C-alpha cells in the first residue's frame, strides 16, 4: 500500500494518503468508527462487525498474499517441509521438539536437533493471524474446537510480537524459534521458510504462482461482497495458507473530495497498480475479480 500511495501521489499531487500498518484488527475498528477514511485487512469483517459499523462498508480485494512458517534453527539452512498436523501441533504446544517424528518423517536426511521449539505469534489483532488460524481451523479439529479462527486468539503457547516486522525480527534473533509472517517479510530479511503440505498432499512453497493457484476456484465463484477464504484450497499446486487482502471502503463519503480521490485511486489500483504487486511479493488479482470490483466501485457515493 505504501508503494502504491507513493506512486499514485506522483500522478495526482492532491492525493496525499497517509497509511499506517497497525494490524487488521485496528483497521477494522477504526473504519467501523469512521475515525479514518478507509481501512485495510487480511481478515474479512464478520456479519456482526458489519452490522455495528457506523456506515455500510465495501470489501475490495487488492492483491493476493501468502503466510509462511519461518524458522531459525542454528546450523540448519535446509528448507523444511511441514504437514498440517505438524504446524497445528507446534502451535498447540503438543509438538515440542524439532526432531519430533511428525516433523522428521517428512524431512528425511535433515539432522533435526532435539531442542525445544520456541513459538512466536502476533500480539496484536492481525489479518495474518486470521489467515494462519483460519488454515489451522480447517486442517485440525482440535485447533478449531480449542482455539478457533480470529484476528486475535488465546494462544496455547508462545511469545507475542507486534506486527509482521516484530514476529520476523523475534524469530531471527531467537534460536529454535518458529513464527508466521507474510511472504514478503520472510524474503526481505532472508530467513528460511518452509513448504507446507496442501489438501492434495503435495508440499508447496509459497510463491506468486502457488498463491494464484489457491485463488483459482474462488475467482470463478466469488461472492458479491468479496468476503471469501482461500486457505487449504483444492488444487495440486495451490499454496494452502493464502488469502486475498482487502481495502475497507465506506459506501458513502461525507467528504466529496476524499471520496473522489479514493475512488480514482482504486480504479488506478485495479489497472496500473497491479503491475507493482509481484515485485513486492504479492500476486495480482484474477481478471474476473477485477471486473466484479469495477462494478462495486461504481456504487460508491460522494
Amino acid at each position: 500500500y505504501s508503494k502504491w500511495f507513493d506512486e499514485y501521489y506522483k500522478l495526482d499531487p492532491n492525493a496525499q494518503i497517509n497509511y499506517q500498518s497497525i494490524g487488521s484488527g485496528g483497521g477494522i475498528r477504526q473504519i467501523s468508527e469512521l475515525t479514518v477514511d478507509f481501512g485495510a485487512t487480511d481478515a474479512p469483517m464478520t456479519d456482526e462487525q458489519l452490522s455495528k459499523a457506523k456506515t455500510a462498508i465495501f470489501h475490495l480485494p487488492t492483491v493476493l498474499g501468502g503466510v509462511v512458517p519461518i524458522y531459525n534453527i542454528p546450523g540448519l539452512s535446509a528448507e523444511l517441509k511441514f504437514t498440517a498436523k505438524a504446524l497445528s501441533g507446534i502451535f498447540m504446544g503438543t509438538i515440542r521438539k524439532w526432531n519430533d517424528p511428525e516433523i522428521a518423517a517428512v524431512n528425511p536426511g535433515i539432522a533435526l536437533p532435539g531442542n525445544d521449539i520456541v513459538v512466536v505469534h502476533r500480539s496484536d489483532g492481525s489479518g495474518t493471524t486470521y489467515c494462519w488460524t483460519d488454515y489451522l481451523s480447517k486442517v485440525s479439529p482440535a485447533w478449531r474446537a480449542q482455539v478457533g479462527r480470529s484476528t486475535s486468539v488465546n494462544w496455547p503457547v508462545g511469545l507475542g510480537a507486534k506486527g509482521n516486522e516484530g514476529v520476523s525480527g523475534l524469530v531471527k534473533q531467537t534460536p529454535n524459534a518458529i513464527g508466521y509472517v507474510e511472504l514478503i517479510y520472510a524474503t526481505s530479511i532472508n530467513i528460511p521458510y518452509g513448504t507446507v503440505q496442501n489438501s492434495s498432499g503435495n508440499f508447496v512453497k509459497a510463491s506468486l504462482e502457488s498463491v494464484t493457484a489457491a485463488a483459482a476456484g474462488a475467482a470463478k465463484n466469488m461472492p458479491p461482497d468479496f468476503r471469501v477464504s482461500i486457505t487449504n484450497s483444492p488444487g495440486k499446486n495451490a499454496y494452502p495458507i493464502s488469502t486475498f487482502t482487502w481495502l475497507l471502503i465506506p459506501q458513502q463519503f461525507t467528504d466529496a473530495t476524499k471520496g473522489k480521490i479514493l475512488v480514482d485511486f482504486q480504479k488506478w489500483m485495479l489497472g496500473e497498480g497491479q503491475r507493482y504487486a509481484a515485485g513486492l511479493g504479492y500476486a495480482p488479482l484474477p481478471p474476473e475479480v477485477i471486473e466484479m470490483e469495477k462494478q462495486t466501485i461504481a456504487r460508491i457515493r460522494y
Side-chain angles (χ1 to χ4, degrees):
Y1 289 136
S2 296
K3 175 67 172 177
W4 271 348
F5 297 144
D6 285 345
E7 292 298 325
Y8 192 67
Y9 177 72
K10 295 174 186 175
L11 298 175
D12 181 2
N14 292 317
Q16 298 184 39
I17 303 173
N18 174 26
Y19 174 74
Q20 297 172 11
S21 56
I22 63 169
S24 296
I28 290 171
R29 190 164 53 251
Q30 291 192 8
I31 189 61
S32 297
E33 293 293 325
L34 292 181
T35 56
V36 293
D37 298 305
F38 69 96
T41 183
D42 293 343
M45 293 174 67
T46 64
D47 290 345
E48 182 181 5
Q49 287 172 329
L50 285 170
S51 70
K52 291 181 178 178
K54 289 185 175 180
T55 187
I57 294 171
F58 286 143
H59 286 69
L60 292 163
T62 55
V63 289
L64 293 154
V67 179
V68 297
I70 58 172
Y71 52 89
N72 173 10
I73 303 174
L76 181 73
S77 57
E79 184 179 284
L80 294 183
K81 296 176 178 177
F82 292 99
T83 62
K85 190 175 179 181
L87 288 176
S88 58
I90 289 169
F91 280 79
M92 284 284 288
T94 56
I95 292 178
R96 298 174 182 171
K97 303 282 187 181
W98 275 112
N99 62 356
D100 185 280
E102 182 64 32
I103 304 172
V106 294
N107 291 285
I110 296 177
L112 292 164
N115 299 330
D116 289 340
I117 299 171
V118 180
V119 172
V120 179
H121 55 72
R122 289 284 287 269
S123 59
D124 52 331
S126 93
T128 311
T129 293
Y130 180 89
C131 180
W132 187 256
T133 58
D134 182 48
Y135 164 73
L136 293 179
S137 292
K138 288 183 181 179
V139 300
S140 168
W143 184 276
R144 185 168 62 250
Q146 296 176 44
V147 185
R149 64 169 67 81
S150 184
T151 53
S152 295
V153 296
N154 292 319
W155 294 98
V157 292
L159 307 171
K162 189 173 182 180
N164 281 287
E165 304 91 335
V167 171
S168 55
L170 187 54
V171 171
K172 188 155 191 175
Q173 70 187 34
T174 307
N176 302 302
I178 185 172
Y180 59 92
V181 293
E182 289 183 38
L183 175 60
I184 186 64
Y185 290 88
T187 56
S188 64
I189 67 168
N190 197 28
I191 194 168
Y193 60 97
T195 62
V196 182
Q197 191 173 32
N198 68 11
S199 61
S200 299
N202 297 326
F203 286 94
V204 179
K205 191 175 178 100
S207 67
L208 302 184
E209 294 75 20
S210 62
V211 169
T212 299
K220 293 177 175 59
N221 301 288
M222 179 64 73
D225 65 4
F226 300 103
R227 292 186 297 160
V228 66
S229 166
I230 57 170
T231 55
N232 211 38
S233 289
K236 63 179 182 177
N237 299 318
Y239 179 67
I241 318 177
S242 299
T243 184
F244 284 95
T245 184
W246 297 266
L247 282 180
L248 302 174
I249 305 289
Q251 186 174 353
Q252 176 74 52
F253 280 88
T254 54
D255 186 318
T257 303
K258 289 182 176 180
K260 185 178 189 312
I261 286 174
L262 281 170
V263 165
D264 289 346
F265 164 77
Q266 288 170 90
K267 292 175 180 176
W268 174 87
M269 173 200 79
L270 293 177
E272 179 71 21
Q274 291 294 303
R275 300 180 190 178
Y276 293 95
L280 297 169
Y282 297 91
L285 294 172
E288 307 97 313
V289 177
I290 289 175
E291 288 310 308
M292 282 182 66
E293 277 191 75
K294 287 178 179 177
Q295 297 173 33
T296 300
I297 290 170
R299 293 166 53 203
I300 296 172
R301 297 287 173 259
Y302 54 84

